[in-house]
Amino acid sequence: MGFLGPIPADKLAASYNVHTQTLTLSAEGEARNYTTGIQFERQSWLGGYKFNLEGWTGPLADPESYEHYTHEQAFQLQMPSRVAPSGSVIIATANHPSGVAVPVRFLGGFIPPAENEATEKATTAPAQAAAGAAPAAAPVEAPHAAPQLMQPDNQKINVLFKMPFNIQEGDRVPTGGTVTMKFDPSVLTLEKAGIQGTNIVWTLNSLKTGNTQVIVTVTGGIAQYVIQKIYDVRIFVLD
């Protein structure tokens, strides 16, 4: 069933509404059949605003079969800011794993002044970007080192179909850090979440039988690191 990973994109675009402080990202392309739950996931990055384009893929109807998709998603954030003074965002995809610089089209206000030559080029996007089409963005190098990624060995969970099960993580979040949990919504559903003792506990239930994953990500705040715990979940029925 669904396994989370990066997906390719043929077109990427970004716009920012100055009045509502809303950044809207869009992507279009061909993804493996079947891919669901496509989303932009914001990353911890000292160089500005960076996002991964990812989705839940599987089961594969045909390894060579692809289907067209479009996706649009909004984020509430402030641009420009001290951490992202430029007029562009970085988006990493399956075909550009290091990321591409996507110029931001500013709406409802003045475009922020360029901080440097690189920013000026980003804020003066070509006419096709102004019309909403994706520019031919080139891969970019991150100006700062990416956060250290730590991935413990996968943990395996066997659960009965339609029987709730728990995923838990310590509630001691680093200063400025985050704890998030992701799953394939076509396979699992979240029944409740809360604090039990010193743990964050998520109670999930199954919608289908088969295999899927639950991913818990802990990001550092001041110390830049990412701990990603992957739970391989097997959902079965008793004979």
Side-chain angles (χ1 to χ4, degrees), residues 173-195:
V173 181
T175 301
T178 61
V179 177
T180 59
M181 186 270 296
K182 294 184 287 189
F183 60 89
D184 186 347
S186 69
V187 180
L188 300 173
T189 183
L190 178 66
E191 291 196 342
K192 62 180 180 179
I195 302 294

Side-chain angles (χ1 to χ4, degrees), residues 51-234:
F51 302 84
N52 287 351
L53 179 63
E54 56 190 30
W56 295 88
T57 301
L60 297 179
D62 179 344
E64 302 302 321
S65 176
Y66 287 78
E67 57 184 355
H68 186 77
Y69 77 87
T70 58
H71 177 69
E72 185 174 280
Q73 188 173 341
F75 296 86
Q76 293 297 128
L77 49 80
Q78 186 175 357
M79 292 188 74
S81 71
R82 294 178 64 182
V83 297
S86 75
S88 64
V89 296
I90 305 300
I91 300 178
T93 65
N95 48 329
H96 292 294
S98 296
V100 294
V102 179
V104 176
R105 182 164 58 103
F106 287 84
L107 309 172
F110 293 103
I111 297 176
E115 294 289 331
N116 49 47
E117 182 180 354
T119 300
E120 185 172 3
K121 291 180 181 178
T123 54
T124 55
Q128 60 186 26
V140 296
E141 293 288 337
H144 300 277
Q148 181 182 4
L149 175 62
M150 292 168 278
Q151 289 183 298
D153 292 338
N154 290 18
Q155 300 186 42
K156 300 184 183 301
I157 301 175
N158 295 313
V159 299
L160 285 172
F161 179 54
K162 290 296 183 180
M163 291 295 292
F165 65 97
N166 292 336
I167 300 290
Q168 63 182 30
E169 180 62 38
D171 65 353
R172 293 190 175 182
V173 181
T175 301
T178 61
V179 177
T180 59
M181 186 270 296
K182 294 184 287 189
F183 60 89
D184 186 347
S186 69
V187 180
L188 300 173
T189 183
L190 178 66
E191 291 196 342
K192 62 180 180 179
I195 302 294
Q196 295 182 13
T198 59
N199 291 319
I200 304 171
V201 179
W202 299 275
T203 300
L204 300 162
N205 210 331
S206 53
L207 302 173
K208 301 177 182 178
T209 59
N211 299 305
T212 188
Q213 292 181 327
V214 176
I215 301 174
V216 176
T217 303
V218 181
T219 61
I222 299 174
Q224 290 293 301
Y225 66 86
V226 176
I227 301 175
Q228 192 172 77
K229 300 179 181 179
I230 300 176
Y231 297 85
D232 292 323
V233 181
R234 172 176 169 260

